[in-house]
Amino acid sequence: MNALPIDPALAWESLPALFQGLQVTVFLTVLPLLIGLALAFPICFARMSARRGLALPAETFVVFFRGAPLLILLYLVYYGLGQIEALRNGPFWIVFGSPFGCAIVALSLNHAAYMVEVLRGSLLAVPHGIVEASEALGITRRNIFLWVRMPLAIRYGLKAYQNEVVSFIKGTAIVSVVTITDLMAVANSIFEQTYDPFTPILCAAAFYWALVNVVRIGFALWGRWLGRHNEDEAVRAARAQAPLGISGEVLP
């Protein structure tokens, strides 16, 4: 009798199917992340606008899509919108008529709502004095935003963005409820065929763990690259404070 909680032979046989499911999971992660980020920028600007007519709809969007559980949102898009006859007969049915399209829409809207607040908090964290100094130098507002506010906002919001992406990757596991064969759906299918609750689920967990850590390492490298100037300044400061030898060289 196998004393291990998993069956090595079943795990090895399941790898091709699990890898195919992982590819679907990656696709359903990358595309909504890009679409959600693209939607977040205009909604964020509207959210920060002094005009109530722009700020109120943007705030309502954020409150609704952040507050609604992702599973309920997915059900509303997949099952609810299909009941609208005008949508079924319209050009958008090519999107809402498929599980992939519904999943991408629901995931993108959910991610956009969270990213609006990440972007807003990061932009508000930029010191106002830096912006005023840039304006005093005669730099246009467009260039101030592109070359002053956004680079600093990216650095301030990188950790929050990393946490959102990691949570988002894990959240994609719910798409299996709308007949999409992602990584979790493959694991459930193997479990239903073999009645082994440990091997497929633990293998799927290992794939999720690997994917999340690849993303984490990528963010760490990105953060190091963004903070390379601070590291250079720290090295120069350490050298300036280090004791000098007889020949004037910096001692280790």
Side-chain angles (χ1 to χ4, degrees):
M1 182 177 180
N2 185 17
L4 296 175
I6 66 173
D7 183 352
L10 177 60
W12 179 255
E13 293 175 2
S14 304
L15 284 181
L18 289 170
F19 185 73
Q20 290 180 355
L22 177 64
Q23 291 177 316
V24 175
T25 294
V26 171
F27 175 77
L28 287 175
T29 298
V30 173
L31 191 57
L33 283 177
L34 295 176
I35 297 174
L37 185 61
L39 291 174
F41 275 96
I43 299 173
C44 177
F45 298 149
R47 176 86 167 82
M48 299 176 66
S49 175
R51 300 179 180 179
R52 195 61 181 168
L54 293 176
L56 184 59
E59 184 177 355
T60 303
F61 173 89
V62 172
V63 170
F64 176 78
F65 285 103
R66 285 187 69 189
L70 185 53
L71 181 59
I72 293 179
L73 183 60
L74 184 59
Y75 278 150
L76 287 175
V77 175
Y78 183 70
Y79 294 109
L81 295 183
Q83 305 300 319
I84 303 176
E85 184 177 355
L87 185 61
R88 291 199 306 268
N89 298 327
F92 294 106
W93 188 244
I94 192 174
V95 175
F96 295 100
S98 69
F100 275 97
C102 291
I104 289 172
V105 169
L107 292 171
S108 299
L109 292 174
N110 177 263
H111 180 60
Y114 281 94
M115 280 308 303
V116 167
E117 292 304 293
V118 172
L119 285 171
R120 178 171 169 268
S122 302
L123 289 170
L124 292 176
V126 177
H128 191 63
I130 296 179
V131 178
E132 290 181 341
S134 302
E135 293 175 347
L137 292 174
I139 303 175
T140 63
R141 289 189 175 182
R142 177 177 177 273
N143 286 333
I144 290 174
F145 178 80
L146 292 176
W147 304 109
V148 179
R149 293 191 71 185
M150 274 307 300
L152 290 174
I154 290 173
R155 291 172 60 182
Y156 295 151
L158 191 60
K159 288 294 183 182
Y161 184 41
Q162 174 184 332
N163 293 337
E164 163 58 16
V165 171
V166 169
S167 297
F168 184 82
I169 292 173
K170 299 174 183 178
T172 59
I174 70 167
V175 299
S176 59
V177 301
V178 292
T179 71
I180 294 178
T181 312
D182 69 327
L183 180 58
M184 197 63 213
V186 172
N188 285 331
S189 176
I190 296 172
F191 162 61
E192 292 170 358
Q193 294 172 10
T194 62
Y195 297 101
D196 183 346
F198 293 104
T199 301
I201 302 301
L202 290 177
C203 288
F207 275 103
Y208 277 112
W209 180 87
L211 179 59
V212 165
N213 278 276
V214 167
V215 170
R216 183 185 59 80
I217 293 172
F219 272 99
L221 294 175
W222 188 12
R224 186 177 301 175
W225 180 78
L226 290 175
R228 64 192 184 281
H229 304 297
N230 293 336
E231 293 181 0
D232 294 341
E233 293 177 0
V235 170
R236 287 195 295 268
R239 288 179 177 177
Q241 296 177 1
L244 300 177
I246 298 176
S247 59
E249 298 179 352
V250 177
L251 297 177

